[in-house]
Amino acid sequence: MSGLLGARTCPGPGEASDLKSPRGARFREPLTEARFQQLFGDAEQEPELLAESRLSLLCRLWRRRARACSGPGAWRLLLARLPPLRWLPHYRWRAWLLGDAVAGVTVGIVHVPQGMAFALLTSVPPVFGLYTSFFPVLIYTLLGTGRHLSTGTFAVLSLMTGSAVERLVPEPLGGNLSGIEREQLDAQRVGAAAAMAFGSGALMLGMFALQLGVLSTFLSEPVVKALTSGAALHVLVSQLPSLLGLPLPRQIGCFALFKTLAAVLTALPRSNPAELTISALSLALLVPVKELNVRFRDRLPTPIPGEIVMVLLASVLCFTSSLDTRYNVQIVGLLPGGFPRPLLPNLAELPRIVADSLPVALVTFAVSASLASIYADKYSYTIDSNQELLAHGVSNLISSLFSCFPNSATLATTSLLVDAGGNTQLAGLFSCAVVLSVLLWLGPFFYYLPKAVLACINISSMRQMFFQMQELPQLWRISRVDFAVWMVTWVAVVTLSVDLGLAVGVVFSMMTVVCRTQRVQCLALGLAEGTELYRPLRERHKLLQVPGLCILSYPTPLYFGTRGQFRRTLERHLGLREGGKETPKTDGPPDAVAEPIRVVVLDCSGITFADAAGAREVVQLSRRCRDAGIHLLLAQCNASVLGTLTQAGLLDRVTPEQLFVSVQDAAAHALERLESAGPKSCTVWV
């Protein structure tokens, strides 16, 4: 502000007599960009650096890669790609082992019924949910960076996968299939689900190779929460036929939720009383247990395993009462022991499932990365978003060889893992041990488990997703735009489908960003009394304004979408029109701007980037200002914007002495220019 402090001042109309004006002070000369580089930067080497050939740049990158391929470089790469090598040597065995063991066993117990329940949601036999609760958890333990993240089956992904599987492998119209035909149909559906896991894993590995972990920022929190809340409603409605014992075909595509509701209401008189009773009793037990676990999480040593208790009680009741034969209650049946034979998914199906695998991959990464970030911030450690892409990509790719369907981090089991005292990824090994014991030895005990109980487990696990709607009033108070994004995404998910709703939500979220850049205002600035700060003239401060000088701040990126607004705004403020000058617009009092504008300072600190169209607009502005007799000064351009403007030919229109490091320096230079032009200029407090 030094130059401005050296300006002569004269009292304006209505000015108070005791108003202090900074007279006669001068600390340094105004600092231009060129002078700054000469004093503080390597002005001689900077042009050489900018003009460096691509060949030399590639040579430098090649030498850097060669150094990275040395022994220490290989070890650093191994540490980055295998996180246990970093945290396991520092593991606190006495302090953390018991908590990891208890949390892992607790989560493993929940994985068993939930895995089987989500398998039915995916339209595959229940045992494949157990496979998906074992292999992905084991792989993520070795590759993941989220210490408190629990992976496995996830209701949203199961619903999306199940819709795709039903479309790719539809059930025959007759519905009466023999045992062999049912096995063939199940095998085809398992192959389609595994192919989707393979495709989504391959896509995530491709994103990792391109280092696209930053894409997680485009899936905002309102989009993710609205997606999961809307998908929870889809899960609830899709499980109604199983709750009521109605053998209805699954509805897919747009408006599937409303089609399912209409079919259920039409077939309601044919519901099975026995399965309806089992469903009512199961929900009457599961919902209060869930509520107790939430309300008394600090007092309970471990959460009450309501799911496994319900599974055991229902299995015993069905076995002793022969509900499957007497009342036609559908049961899980025999769970094959051991592991499936590794089998490469049918690659011929990949072209058909690419369109379905892409939203699955995006949802997997968005939910997992957001959950990992939440707990990483809470417990003060960092995650690597690109490493998370690798972990979930490898997890889906390898587990697909064992007939698993797509998997990701899960909201319910992650919260359960943290509440039970989990500290590191080692808890995943204990969870795998529980699922492994079921696969090897305890599978026959689930033979008589009614499928209606699994449907109730599906519904009760959605509790946390439904309660996300309680945040809407607060979101309305904080940001109306985020509230609109939440509602548009939720309505699109509910009315259309999960994958189309995700696309609508992302596009709408991006459009709100574009619209907000279109609605910013170019502000005229004045010097606040007693400070070096420039504030908008509309604010209620005593601000110093100089007739003939206009200081403007344009706080948005300058690109093809905002160039028109930029041109119109500057024309309005400076009075520029094709064919002559007009009276400029001002935010200050009329008396302060009776003199035409002779110098304009454009504060570019808010212009984070500029493209070719925006840069050409600035060049055109400089030409029009010169033709109108207005001296244009640019202040606080960052290196990227300044480079773009230079390439667009700005220095052909203005001199380097018109580029300044700060608004204060540009204003000081402007005042010196106005003073040298004549005695008309004076400062006015407004």
Side-chain angles (χ1 to χ4, degrees), residues 166-247:
E166 292 277 353
R167 189 183 69 253
L168 295 172
V169 189
E171 188 168 347
L173 296 178
N176 296 323
L177 302 178
S178 63
I180 297 178
E181 291 174 338
R182 173 60 62 181
E183 290 181 1
Q184 292 176 349
L185 180 66
D186 289 341
Q188 293 177 3
R189 290 184 169 179
V190 168
M196 286 197 63
F198 186 91
S200 61
L203 288 173
M204 282 187 280
L205 287 181
M207 294 166 63
F208 164 74
L210 298 174
Q211 298 291 286
L212 295 181
V214 71
L215 287 179
S216 61
T217 58
F218 291 99
L219 293 172
S220 62
E221 183 178 350
V223 171
V224 174
K225 289 189 174 182
L227 173 73
T228 53
S229 297
L233 189 59
H234 274 280
V235 172
L236 171 62
V237 173
S238 67
Q239 296 303 295
L240 288 179
S242 298
L243 291 179
L244 302 174
L246 297 173

Side-chain angles (χ1 to χ4, degrees), residues 463-480:
R463 173 186 180 278
Q464 189 175 2
M465 299 183 192
F466 284 127
F467 283 177
Q468 291 179 144
M469 301 185 73
Q470 294 178 345
E471 302 175 7
L472 285 178
Q474 182 184 13
L475 193 62
W476 172 264
R477 292 191 297 269
I478 295 174
S479 173
R480 306 290 174 85

Side-chain angles (χ1 to χ4, degrees), residues 447-458:
Y447 182 91
Y448 289 97
L449 175 62
K451 290 185 178 181
V453 174
L454 297 180
C456 295
I457 293 174
N458 272 333

Side-chain angles (χ1 to χ4, degrees), residues 121-122 156-166 192-193 196 360 405-406:
L121 199 60
T122 317
V156 176
L157 291 183
S158 297
L159 180 68
M160 297 172 67
T161 307
S163 298
V165 168
E166 292 277 353
M196 286 197 63
V360 167
F405 49 84

Side-chain angles (χ1 to χ4, degrees), residues 111 115-116 118-119 124-134 153 405 435:
H111 267 317
M116 293 189 291
F118 292 159
V124 297
V127 69
F128 294 95
L130 298 180
Y131 300 151
T132 311
S133 300
F134 177 79
T153 56
F405 49 84
V435 178

Side-chain angles (χ1 to χ4, degrees), residues 587-622:
D587 295 325
D591 296 338
V593 292
E595 182 179 345
I597 292 175
R598 290 183 286 165
V599 182
V600 58
V601 176
L602 182 59
D603 178 13
C604 302
S605 59
I607 302 178
T608 55
F609 71 90
D611 66 356
R616 284 194 293 268
E617 198 64 46
V618 176
V619 174
Q620 291 295 323
L621 172 67
S622 64

Side-chain angles (χ1 to χ4, degrees), residues 313-327:
L313 290 178
S315 299
V316 171
L317 177 64
C318 186
F319 172 72
T320 56
S321 303
S322 301
L323 296 180
D324 55 325
T325 56
R326 296 174 59 185
Y327 299 102

